[in-house]
Amino acid sequence: MVDLGAILLSAISLPVKPFLCKAMMTARVSLQVTMVDRGRTMIPICTVRCQKFLISCVGEDWIFLILLGLFMALLSWLVDFGIGICLQSQKWMYVNLESNVFLQYLAWVTYPVVLITFSAGFTQLLAPQAVGSGIPEIKTILRGVVLKECLTFKTFVAKVIGLTSALGSGMPLGKESPFVHIASLGAALLCKFMSLFGGIYENESRNIELLSVACAVGVSCVFAAPIGGLLFSIEAMSTFFTVRNYWRGFFAATVTAFMYRVLAVWNRDEVTITALLPTNFRQDFPFDLQELPAFAVLGIASGLGGALFVSWDQYGIYKTLHKCLLTLGLHLSDMMSLPVSPMQLTQMESLETLLDNQTWSKQGIPEEFDSNSHSQAWKHPQVNVFVTLTLFVVMKFWMSALAMTMPVPCGAFMPVFVIGAAFGRLVGESMAAWFPDGVHSDGTIYPIEPGVYAAVGAAALSGAVTHTVSTAVVVFELTGQISHILPVMIAVILANAVAQSLQPSLYDSLIMIKKLPYLPELGWGHHEKYNICVEDIMIRDVMYITLNCCYRDLHDVLLTGHLKTLALLESSESMILLGSIERAQIQALLSLQLGRPRRLKYLRDRATAEKRLSVVSHPSSEDGSTMVNQEVHFQISTEESSFSSTPTPSMKPLKPALKRPSVVDCPTEIPMPTSKSKHTQNLYYQQQWSLSLLPCLSNNCISFIFYSEREWEENQLDEQVNFDNCMIDPAPIQLVESTSLHKTHTIFSLLGLDHAYVTSIGRLIGVVSLKELQKAIEGSVAVKGVNVRPPLASFRDSGTSGTIMNNENKARDLHKLWNRRKLMSLPKEHRASDSDEKSK
Amino acid sequence: MVDLGAILLSAISLPVKPFLCKAMMTARVSLQVTMVDRGRTMIPICTVRCQKFLISCVGEDWIFLILLGLFMALLSWLVDFGIGICLQSQKWMYVNLESNVFLQYLAWVTYPVVLITFSAGFTQLLAPQAVGSGIPEIKTILRGVVLKECLTFKTFVAKVIGLTSALGSGMPLGKESPFVHIASLGAALLCKFMSLFGGIYENESRNIELLSVACAVGVSCVFAAPIGGLLFSIEAMSTFFTVRNYWRGFFAATVTAFMYRVLAVWNRDEVTITALLPTNFRQDFPFDLQELPAFAVLGIASGLGGALFVSWDQYGIYKTLHKCLLTLGLHLSDMMSLPVSPMQLTQMESLETLLDNQTWSKQGIPEEFDSNSHSQAWKHPQVNVFVTLTLFVVMKFWMSALAMTMPVPCGAFMPVFVIGAAFGRLVGESMAAWFPDGVHSDGTIYPIEPGVYAAVGAAALSGAVTHTVSTAVVVFELTGQISHILPVMIAVILANAVAQSLQPSLYDSLIMIKKLPYLPELGWGHHEKYNICVEDIMIRDVMYITLNCCYRDLHDVLLTGHLKTLALLESSESMILLGSIERAQIQALLSLQLGRPRRLKYLRDRATAEKRLSVVSHPSSEDGSTMVNQEVHFQISTEESSFSSTPTPSMKPLKPALKRPSVVDCPTEIPMPTSKSKHTQNLYYQQQWSLSLLPCLSNNCISFIFYSEREWEENQLDEQVNFDNCMIDPAPIQLVESTSLHKTHTIFSLLGLDHAYVTSIGRLIGVVSLKELQKAIEGSVAVKGVNVRPPLASFRDSGTSGTIMNNENKARDLHKLWNRRKLMSLPKEHRASDSDEKSK
C-alpha cells in the first residue's frame, strides 16, 4: 500500500487541470477510506492508474506529432480539393456561357476578381495578421519574440479560407508559405487543446520546439517531401537547430507526407504512393560532364533572377500596395485571358509539362509533342517554343511579384519554383537545339534532356529567392529522381552565392518591411565581424536603479530610456549588477506607493486628525465638520467597494512582451507622481486627481487637500523603495566588453535575447540591445579601432581562455579589479574595526 | 593619397604573419618616401594591394572549403586504390601458389593477419589516438573540449596508412567513421597551414565551425553523398547546429562528392557521374501500400538488432580487448577462407549484389541468376538462398562486432550497412516467396522487389546503430533512387525509436567506454526532465576565494575540490560573485609568492643583515664570514642565470584543458607551502628545499636557515593576496536555482560549458558541473519533490518571465534580497556617516 500511495501522491503532484485534479482528489480521499475498508478501493486505484497512463500517453511527443501530421495532411488535401472546385467552376461557367461571348468574357474576368476580393475582405475582417506568407512571423516567433495574435483560432480560419479562395482564383500565388503558417497555427492550437490533458503542454520552450516541427510539417504536406520539408524549414526559419528536435521533424513530416499521398490513393487518383510529380529522366547516363558549365550558368542566372525578384518586392511595390489592388486584380485577369495558353495551366500542370523528358525544340519534328493535353498547351502554331517559354518566364515573373503584394494569404515559393522550371527548360531547350546529338564525344549518343534543366532551374531559382540549399532536396522528392544530384547541387549553391551577396532572402526582406524584431544573419564569410567587440557597440549610459534608491529615482528613470527592463545595482558607487527589473514592475511599485488606497488612507488619517484639531479649535462648529467627515468616510467606503472589481495595479498579471506596457500607454492605470521639473505635467495630474477625488470630498476643503497632497507625494517619493512586491530576474545574461560580435550574435540568437548587460567583474559598464547588434551587423556603426581581439574567455571552455587572453585585456581587467578594491577597502576596514569593537 | 594611406594603414593593422608584415612595413616606408618622390611609389602600392587581395582571398571560406573538398576526395580515392591493390595482391598470391596447396592456404590466411598486425603496430607506435573510429573524439571536440593530440599530423599519417592496411586485409571494417576523423584532421592541418596567410584562421570558434564541416566532407567522400553526408554528420556529431554553417557543409560536401566521382570518370571506371551503387528499381509502382507492414516489421527488427550490436560492443567485448587480438586475427582469416563464397566479396560488391532488382528465391528458377559474377557468389549448389543469407547475416554480425575491437583505425558503419542490406534482402526474398505475384489485388501484377527491402534494411540497421535518421538520405544518394522514400523513412524512424529506447548510440557508447567528457542527450520525450531544477542537482558547498583572502586560503583551497576554476567572491559575508579564476592561475600566484626568486631575495637580504650583525658581534672573524657570504652571493647569481632559461611559473603559458594541471601533477614546478596541519608534507618540502639550496650555502648555517624559512613562509602565507598577475574570467556563466534541467542542458551543450555557477541576485549559492548534469540526466540523482517549475526567466525574453514566475519563487527571491539588504545596511550606514565626516 505504501507503494501505491507514493504512486498516487506523485500522480497528484502532476500538473493536471482542475477537473482531473478533482478526480484524483476523490481517489486520494478514497485511499484514506482504504485504511478502513480495503475491498472497495481497487476500482478507484485502477481508474487513477488508467487516467495516469492516458495522461502520460497524451504527454508523449509522438501522439502529438501523429495527430498534427494527420490533421495537416487532411487539411492540405481539403484545400487542394477546394481550389480544384473553384478552378473547375470557372471553366464550367466559361463553357456554359458559350452562347454569349461578352458575358462569357465578363464572367471569365470577374470570377477571379470576386474570389480575390472575397479572400482579401474575409481575411481583413476576421484576422488581418493572416495576410501574406506567414513565414516572417513564424521566423520571428522562433527567434523568441512572442507574437500572440499570430497564433489564434481566428487567424487559422482566416488563413485557410482566404488561401483557398485566393488560390482558387488561379492567380500565380503559392500554397507553401501559408501552409507553414497554418501548420504552426495547427500546432499551437493542438498544444492548447492537449494542455487540457497534461501540464507538459504548458511549457513554453517545448511549444516553441513543436512549432519548429510544425514548419517542417507545413512544407511537407504541400510537396509530400518529408526530408526536403524539414531541411527547408530549418534553413528558412531557424538560426540554430536543436538536433534533439530532429527526429520530431522527420517523424511528423513523414507522417504528413504519407497521409497526404495515401489520401490520393484512397481517392483513386493514384494506384500507389509515388512522388507528386514523377519524372522519367535517363538514369544510366543522367548528364554529361561537359554539360556542367551550362548548369553553372543556369545557377548564376537564377541567382541574379532571385535577387531581382526580392529587390523588386522590396523597393518598388510595397509602397503602392493598397492603391493598385483593384487595378491589379483586373489586370491580372486580363493577362490570364490572353490566348497564350500555358498561362492558363495550373502550377502543378505547368510543372508537370516542364519536367517532361521530351525535347520540344527539335526543329522540323513538331509532331514529337505527344498526346498529353497539357504539353499541347506549349505548342503554338505561329511562334516557336523558345518565344513561348521566354514570354511565360517574363510574364509570370512580374505577375508573381505583383501578386505577392495583394492583401490575401499567399506565398511566393510555388510561383518562383514554376518560373525557375520554365527558365531551366528554356536553357535546356537551347542546349538541345545547340547540341542535337548531345555533347558527348564518344560513339554513343546521349541526347540532352531539357527536363533535367527544368528541375535544376526550379531548385536554383527558388533557392536563390529563399536563400536555402535544401530546395534541391525538395526537387528530388517532388520528382522522385535523385540521379542528377550533382548538377542540382552545383546550380543551387551558385545561385545562393550570387543571391546572398546581392540581397537578403525574401523572408528577411519581408521581416524588414514589416518591421518585426529582427536579427540579421552574419552572411557568407564576413570575417571582419570576428574583430568587433561588444565594447565597440555597447551603450555606456545605462539606466539603472539601486537597492537603496528612493521612489523619486524610480520615477525619473521611468521617464527616460526605452528598454523593457532596468538594471538593479547594489549602489551607484560599487555598480555591482544584482539583477534586472521589468519596467512594468517599477510602475507597479510606484503606483503601490502613490496609488489610490494609500492616498485615501492618508486622507482618512488626515481627516481624523483634522477632526480632532477642529474639535479642539472650533468646538462650536462640531456638527458641520462631523457631517463632512462622515460623508468622506462613507464615500471612501463606497469608492472602495465599487472599484474592488478592478484589480489593483500591483496584482495585475504582466502583459505579453510585444504589448510593451509603457508610461504613455497607461496613464490612467498608474498615477504618475508629480515632479518639480515638469510643471505642466503637475497641473495635469492635479486636475486628474481633483476629478477623481471630487465626489468624495466637499468643495470647501479641496484646495487644502491639494496642498497637503503635494506635500504628501513629495514625502512619499523621498521614501526608500520597498522591493517587496517586485519580481526581479536575478541572473540576467551578462557579456564582457571583449566578447566578439560573432559570439554576441550567437548568444543573442541562441537564447533569443532582447538585450544583455555588459559587466566587468560584477560591475555594470554598458548594455547591448538587439538594435545595437543589428546596426553593427548591418555596418552602420563606425567601429573604432578594428584590431583582432580573441573570442572571450567566459563563454568558452575556461581551460583555454588563459592562453588566448592577451596582456592588454589582462591589464585592463586588473586595473578595474584594483579600482574596485580601492573603493571597497575603506568601508571594509571600518567594518573590521567595527566588529572588533563589538567583540571587545 | 589620403585614401591610399588609409587603405595601407588598415592593411597593416591586419593580423598578418611576420614576413608579410615586413613586406608591408617596407611599403609603409616607401609611402613616406612618396611625400618626397611621387613617381616611384606606384609599384610598391600595387604590390601591397595585390598582397592584400590575396590575403583576403585566402581568408574567404570557399577557398578553404574547395581545397578541403578536393584534398579529401583525392585522399579517399587513393585509399580506395590502396585497398584495391592489397586485395588484388592477395588474390594474385593465391593464384600463383596453386602448385602448393598448403603454401597457398598459409599465404591466404597469413596475409590478412600480417596486414592487420602492421596496421595495429604502426598506429600504436606513431599515434595511439588514431585507433578506432574517431567519431567519439570528434564529437567531444565539437562539444567544446580540446583534445589537442587528436588533431596532429602524426595522427593523420597513422590513420591514413593504418586504415588502408586494415581495410586491405579484407576484414569487415568500415571506412566511413575513420574518414570523418581524417577529414577533421585534414581541416585542422589546413587551418594551421592557412593561418600562415591570415589571422582569421587563428580564431578558435571559427575553426570548430570548420571542423563540423569537415565531418560532412568525411562522410561525403566515402559515399559520394553530399546531402546525406551533411545530415549524418549533423545528427551523429552535433547537439546544436548553426544554420549559418549549413551552406559551408553543403558546399564542401558537394565539392568532395563531385571530385570523388570525377576521379572515377577520369580513371575510366565510369562513363559519367552516377551514383556509387546505381540501382534499377521499378519507378512507376515502387511499392504497394500493403507492403508497408513488412517494412515496419523490418524497421523494428533492425532497431532490435542495432541495440544488440551496441550492447554487445558495450558490455562483452571491450574487457578482453588486448588478449584476444591475435587469436581474433587468425580466427577471422579462418572465417574468410570458408567456402561460403559471399563472405569473400568486398563490402561494395556485396552491397551491389544485395541491391540487385532480381528475385533470387523464385523456386524452381535458379537459372534466373544472371551472368554477373558477383551475384553468382550467392548461389550455392546445396543450400538455398535463405540459408546463405541467414548465415551471412549471423556471421557478419558477430565478426563485425569483434572486428570493431581491434586496435586499428576502423569504423562500424559500412559493415552494419551491409548486414542491414543482407537482412533486408532476406526479408524481401521471404516476401517474394510468400507473394510470388505481388500483394496487389488488382489485375496488374507487380512482383515484389527484394532489392528495395535490402535498401530499406541497410538504412534501418545503420540508422539504429548510429541513432540517426539521415541514413535514409545516404541510401537514396548511394543508390540514385528516391522513389521508395516512404518505406525507407518509416523503417528508419521505427528502428530509431526502438534502438533509442534500448541503448545509447554506438558513438555515445564508445564515448562512455573511453570516458571522454560527455553530456548525454535528453532522449525521446523524457518530459519529466522538464520538471527538475538546478537547485535539485547543484552542489551547495562551493569552493571559493574572496578578494581579501590571504595566501593561506589559496593554499587550503587548492588542496581540496576538483573543478578547474574557483569562484572569486567579494567577501564571504556578501557572497557576491565577481568572477572565476583558473586553478593554474592560483598555483601561479602561490608560486610567485613562495617561489625561488622571492625566497632567494629573502635569503640574500637576511644574509646581508646577518653579515652586518656578525661584523658587529664578532669583528675578529671578519675574513671567514665575508668569504662565506661572498660565496652565497656568487652562487645565487649563477643559480639565477642557469635557471633563467626555464620560464618562471607565473609566466608560463596555460596548459590545454585536458591536461588538467593539478597540485599532484607538478610538485616540482610549484613549491607547496608548508602547512601546520600536514607535518609529513612539511618534512618533504624541507628536504626538497635543503637539496635545492644545498650547493649555495655552507653547511654550518643550514639549520638556522631552515628555521627562518619556516617563519618566512608562514609570514608570506598570512599576507593578503595580490591578484595583480592573475587572469580572471569576469563573467562566468550563471544560472539561477529554478532553471530547469532541460534549459541547463541546452545552455551547457550550446556554449560547451564545463560548469556553471548558480547565483541568486548576485550571491553565489551553488555550482553545477557536467558531472552533476550527467547524473541527473541518467537518472541516478534522486530528485526531491518533483513539481512543475516554470522554465526560468533569465534565459528567455524577459517580457514573459513575469507571467510565469510563480509566487513561491517571488517570495523566495525577495526574502533573499532582504536578507542581503540587512547584511549590507550596517556598513552602508557607516560609510555614509564616514563620508559625512570627511565632507565636514
Side-chain angles (χ1 to χ4, degrees), chain B residues 278-294:
Chain B
T279 53
N280 198 16
F281 302 139
R282 197 172 50 218
Q283 282 206 300
D284 53 336
F285 191 93
F287 62 98
D288 198 287
L289 270 186
Q290 291 160 52
E291 286 180 66
L292 283 178

Side-chain angles (χ1 to χ4, degrees), chain B residues 125-248:
Chain B
L125 280 177
L126 197 64
Q129 54 276 5
V131 164
S133 103
I135 287 189
E137 283 85 2
I138 300 297
K139 199 172 177 177
T140 314
I141 291 174
L142 288 181
R143 166 72 188 72
V145 182
V146 184
L147 301 171
K148 286 270 182 209
E149 64 275 26
C150 276
L151 296 176
T152 58
F153 186 67
K154 264 188 181 178
T155 317
F156 182 73
V157 173
K159 196 110 195 177
V160 171
I161 294 181
L163 180 69
T164 311
S165 56
L167 292 184
S169 71
M171 293 273 163
L173 299 171
K175 177 189 163 195
E176 181 253 9
S177 333
F179 245 88
V180 168
H181 193 179
I182 291 174
S184 307
L185 282 162
L189 296 174
L190 199 56
C191 270
K192 225 178 259 177
F193 174 71
M194 298 286 260
S195 70
L196 293 178
F197 299 101
I200 191 66
Y201 285 97
E202 283 164 6
N203 186 309
E204 223 170 300
S205 65
R206 187 165 180 280
N207 288 359
I208 284 203
E209 282 186 358
L210 292 179
L211 216 58
S212 76
V213 169
C215 300
V217 169
V219 183
S220 175
C221 68
V222 173
F223 294 113
I227 302 169
L230 175 66
L231 297 186
F232 181 80
S233 79
I234 291 176
E235 274 195 279
M237 246 65 83
S238 321
T239 317
F240 279 83
F241 193 73
T242 326
V243 175
R244 190 173 61 213
N245 214 4
Y246 213 67
W247 74 266
R248 292 206 187 97

Side-chain angles (χ1 to χ4, degrees), chain A residues 15 59 61 200 203-204 206 227 231 235 238-244 246-247 250-251 254 258 271-274 283-287 289 292 469 473 476-477 480-482 485-486 489 493 524-525 527 530 547 564-565 570 573 576 578 582 654-655 657 720 722-724 726-731 733 736 742 745-746 750-751 761 788 794-803 810 814 817-818 820-821 824 826-828 830-831 834 838, chain B residues 15 59 61 146 200 203-204 227 231 235 238-244 246-247 250-251 254 258 271-274 283-287 289 292 469 473 476-477 480-482 485-486 489 493 524-525 527 530 547-548 564-565 570 573 576 578 582 654-655 657 720-724 726-731 733 736 742 745-746 750-751 761 788 794-799 801-803 810 814 817-818 820-821 824 826-827 830-831 834 838:
Chain A
D61 286 334
I200 191 66
N203 185 310
E204 224 171 297
R206 186 165 179 282
I227 301 170
L231 297 186
E235 275 196 278
S238 322
T239 318
F240 280 82
F241 194 73
T242 325
V243 175
R244 187 172 66 213
Y246 213 66
W247 75 266
F250 262 116
F251 181 69
T254 306
F258 175 70
V271 190
T272 185
I273 292 178
T274 54
Q283 282 206 301
D284 53 336
F285 191 94
F287 62 97
L289 269 186
L292 283 178
V469 197
V473 186
F476 301 143
E477 292 182 277
Q481 286 204 297
I482 204 174
I485 176 167
L486 276 174
M489 293 297 291
I493 285 173
W524 287 50
H527 46 71
Y530 289 83
L547 212 54
K564 268 185 298 185
T565 64
E570 192 197 39
E573 297 95 52
I576 288 184
L578 296 181
E582 281 174 49
L654 289 173
K655 299 190 167 190
Q720 240 199 6
N722 172 3
F723 283 103
D724 224 346
C726 187
M727 285 184 281
I728 296 165
D729 178 358
I733 285 286
V736 292
H742 186 245
H745 182 270
T746 309
L750 276 177
L751 305 177
I761 321 181
V788 174
S794 57
F795 295 99
R796 294 201 28 71
D797 185 13
S798 48
T800 57
S801 66
T803 51
K810 200 172 100 184
L814 278 165
L817 185 70
W818 278 107
R820 176 162 163 64
R821 283 207 64 194
M824 298 301 287
L826 202 66
K828 210 166 273 163
H830 272 268
R831 200 188 300 179
D834 194 57
K838 271 182 188 170
Chain B
D61 287 335
V146 184
I200 191 66
N203 186 309
E204 223 170 300
I227 302 169
L231 297 186
E235 274 195 279
S238 321
T239 317
F240 279 83
F241 193 73
T242 326
V243 175
R244 190 173 61 213
Y246 213 67
W247 74 266
F250 262 116
F251 181 68
T254 306
F258 176 69
V271 191
T272 187
I273 292 178
T274 53
Q283 282 206 300
D284 53 336
F285 191 93
F287 62 98
L289 270 186
L292 283 178
V469 196
V473 185
F476 302 144
E477 292 182 276
Q481 287 204 296
I482 203 173
I485 178 167
L486 277 175
M489 292 297 291
I493 286 173
W524 288 49
H527 46 69
Y530 289 85
L547 212 53
N548 56 349
K564 267 184 298 183
T565 64
E570 193 197 38
E573 298 94 53
I576 288 183
L578 296 181
E582 283 175 47
L654 289 173
K655 299 192 169 189
Q720 240 200 6
V721 179
N722 172 3
F723 284 101
D724 225 346
C726 187
M727 283 184 280
I728 296 164
D729 177 0
I733 286 286
V736 292
H742 185 247
H745 182 272
T746 309
L750 276 178
L751 305 178
I761 321 183
V788 173
S794 59
F795 295 99
R796 293 202 28 71
D797 185 13
S798 49
S801 66
T803 50
K810 200 172 101 185
L814 278 165
L817 185 70
W818 277 107
R820 174 163 163 64
R821 284 208 62 195
M824 297 302 287
L826 201 66
H830 272 266
R831 199 188 300 182
D834 193 56
K838 271 184 187 169

Side-chain angles (χ1 to χ4, degrees), chain A residues 587-749:
Chain A
Q587 284 170 335
L589 274 182
L590 264 180
S591 61
L592 195 73
Q593 181 74 359
L594 299 173
R596 187 183 300 270
R598 290 203 56 189
R599 206 173 279 264
L600 291 179
K601 183 170 174 297
Y602 163 73
L603 288 178
R604 206 186 302 152
D605 292 352
R606 169 165 274 273
T608 323
E610 234 167 73
K611 181 186 159 190
R612 279 197 207 123
L613 205 74
S614 65
V615 168
V616 172
S617 60
H618 307 283
S620 62
S621 67
E622 201 180 351
D623 282 345
S625 84
T626 46
M627 205 190 72
V628 169
N629 280 325
Q630 271 169 355
E631 198 191 348
V632 168
H633 270 282
F634 175 74
Q635 289 286 358
I636 286 167
S637 57
T638 49
E639 274 262 319
E640 273 174 347
S641 63
S642 66
F643 276 86
S644 63
S645 62
T646 61
T648 54
S650 66
M651 299 285 281
K652 72 173 197 301
L654 289 173
K655 299 190 167 190
L658 259 217
K659 285 188 179 166
R660 299 191 190 227
S662 71
V663 183
V664 187
D665 283 342
C666 39
T668 53
E669 274 182 35
I670 295 156
M672 288 297 295
T674 56
S675 159
K676 282 169 189 167
S677 58
K678 316 224 163 187
H679 186 70
T680 50
Q681 211 182 4
N682 274 355
L683 215 67
Y684 164 71
Y685 281 112
Q686 280 189 2
Q687 280 166 358
Q688 199 192 18
W689 272 101
S690 72
L691 284 170
S692 70
L693 286 172
L694 211 54
C696 70
L697 292 164
S698 53
N699 268 335
N700 55 358
C701 56
I702 283 180
S703 67
F704 172 71
I705 282 178
F706 267 144
Y707 177 72
S708 67
E709 244 186 52
R710 268 296 296 278
E711 202 183 327
W712 177 80
E713 265 184 10
E714 293 296 324
N715 285 338
Q716 292 297 312
L717 282 176
D718 283 335
E719 272 184 24
Q720 240 199 6
V721 179
N722 172 3
F723 283 103
D724 224 346
N725 277 314
C726 187
M727 285 184 281
I728 296 165
D729 178 358
I733 285 286
Q734 299 170 27
L735 307 173
V736 292
E737 65 264 62
S738 49
T739 309
S740 68
L741 180 62
H742 186 245
K743 191 142 274 166
T744 311
H745 182 270
T746 309
I747 291 166
F748 266 68
S749 45

